[in-house]
Amino acid sequence: MSTLILALAAGAVIGLALGALGGGGSVLAVPALIYLLGFTPVAATTASLVIVAVISATAMSAHARDGNVRWRTGLLFAAAGIGPAMLGGALAGRVPAPVLTAAFSV
């Protein structure tokens, strides 16, 4: 199976899960990028951030049109996560690749 078809299929599954459930995209995207498309763990994590951000924004617009977005709570939740996310990103660059992928092989 070509890499493009594999990437499109994985992206469709991840997009469906994120759009329907509102979360879990990174848990699906990182292993798909590593094991199906050959990304390094650090590159997969970075790509996953971009992928999930774009898919989440797209799904959020549909939910917002229906009036299902609690803006204040969402913004407070996001604000509380900025610092830990920055710390996690800084630490991920210092963790050896086998350690990062160990959780996905269990």
Side-chain angles (χ1 to χ4, degrees):
M1 184 180 302
S2 79
T3 303
L4 177 61
I5 293 172
L6 194 56
L8 290 172
V13 169
I14 293 164
L16 181 62
L18 245 174
L21 304 173
S26 290
V27 172
L28 300 172
V30 171
L33 292 169
I34 292 171
Y35 296 116
L36 297 177
L37 301 175
F39 279 52
T40 66
V42 173
T45 303
T46 304
S48 172
L49 292 171
V50 174
I51 293 164
V52 172
V54 171
I55 294 171
S56 295
T58 303
M60 184 189 69
S61 68
H63 290 288
R65 276 193 307 270
D66 294 338
N68 296 325
V69 177
R70 295 183 184 179
W71 291 101
R72 184 172 186 263
T73 304
L75 291 172
L76 288 171
F77 193 84
I82 289 173
M86 291 173 65
L87 178 63
L91 293 175
R94 292 175 172 76
V95 176
V99 174
L100 286 176
T101 58
F104 296 115
S105 62
V106 174

